[in-house]
Amino acid sequence: MTEIEAIKLFKCLADKSRMQILKSLIQEDMYVERLAERLNLTPATISFHLKKLEDAGAVTSHKDQYYTVYAIKKELFMEKILDIISEESPEAGKQAVREEQYRRKVINSFMEYGRLKVIPMQRKKERIILEEIAKDIQEGITYSEKEITDIITKYHEDYCTIRRDMISERILERQGSTYRKCPPAGL
């Protein structure tokens, strides 16, 4: 199920009358007049709601003599919500672009000529700056305290605070007096 189909379905399900129609159809297939009598609604109201449910893919219809009989589309409701939510959004590319633009804006605000003007107070912004500084630290290499200090000092004189924050943010790991870059999260 695509994100657009899921949104359409969820909007459709957010109505008490439609939920009552689905509860009736789960028991057996029915036609408009029977649903109207059962739910104490007019046939026109039932038809309106059935059209919405059909457009959302929740019910199907077929002709049986003079009547149009409606049935719930059970396979649709067997799909897990977590699977629907986990599906990659068509917005993912746009979100990545917006996130990168935000990162650039933060870096440009706090850095000038490759040096850090001031350590950001907001943790989210500081994380972006720390990740930018960490680009000079190679994964898989063990650094001495002096080597890490030299790398950080190229960006800002308060190497103690930056080094401590890099460790607390799990960008660096410390073992005694040696440091290693942590692997990216999720790996």
Side-chain angles (χ1 to χ4, degrees):
M1 178 180 306
T2 67
E3 186 174 306
I4 293 168
E5 291 168 338
I7 290 168
K8 194 172 189 178
L9 177 64
F10 293 151
K11 281 183 179 179
C12 184
L13 294 176
D15 182 272
K16 185 179 178 182
S17 296
R18 292 184 202 134
M19 286 300 289
Q20 293 305 313
I21 290 169
L22 290 172
K23 287 179 181 195
S24 295
L25 293 177
I26 198 79
Q27 294 172 3
E28 64 180 293
D29 299 354
M30 294 185 198
Y31 52 91
V32 173
E33 289 77 10
R34 183 157 178 223
L35 281 165
E37 185 64 35
R38 183 179 193 147
L39 300 177
N40 196 27
L41 295 170
T42 65
T45 301
I46 294 292
S47 292
F48 169 80
H49 289 302
L50 283 168
K51 173 76 171 120
K52 295 280 187 187
L53 288 165
E54 202 167 24
D55 289 346
V59 298
T60 59
S61 63
H62 65 275
K63 283 283 194 189
D64 186 5
Q65 294 180 359
Y66 301 108
Y67 298 104
T68 301
V69 178
Y70 291 87
I72 192 166
K73 197 170 175 186
K74 289 181 183 175
E75 62 274 7
L76 177 75
F77 294 99
M78 301 302 274
E79 205 163 336
K80 293 179 190 166
I81 291 177
L82 193 56
D83 292 340
I84 295 167
I85 294 170
S86 299
E87 187 176 303
E88 187 169 329
S89 171
E91 293 286 313
K94 292 176 186 174
Q95 291 168 356
V97 167
R98 286 191 293 265
E99 190 173 313
E100 184 54 34
Q101 288 171 340
Y102 177 74
R103 289 180 62 78
R104 286 280 121 223
K105 181 180 170 188
V106 169
I107 291 166
N108 292 336
S109 295
F110 287 94
M111 296 185 87
E112 187 172 71
Y113 304 114
R115 292 210 24 101
L116 184 58
K117 295 188 275 188
V118 63
I119 299 171
M121 296 299 291
Q122 288 183 356
R123 188 174 181 190
K124 181 171 125 178
K125 291 178 180 178
E126 183 186 18
R127 172 77 190 197
I128 291 169
I129 295 300
L130 296 175
E131 288 171 351
E132 187 67 17
I133 293 170
K135 287 180 179 178
D136 279 357
I137 303 168
Q138 294 180 23
E139 260 186 76
I141 296 178
T142 302
Y143 292 89
S144 69
E145 193 164 309
K146 183 184 179 334
E147 290 172 319
I148 285 295
T149 298
D150 290 344
I151 291 169
I152 295 171
T153 306
K154 289 188 328 190
Y155 292 94
H156 197 271
E157 63 275 356
D158 190 357
Y159 61 87
C160 289
T161 299
I162 292 174
R163 184 177 60 215
R164 182 191 65 232
D165 290 351
M166 288 177 107
I167 292 167
S168 72
E169 287 288 330
R170 300 183 199 278
I171 294 171
L172 278 182
E173 59 184 10
R174 179 181 181 176
Q175 293 178 330
S177 61
T178 62
Y179 297 84
R180 290 176 67 90
K181 188 173 185 178
C182 293
L187 296 180

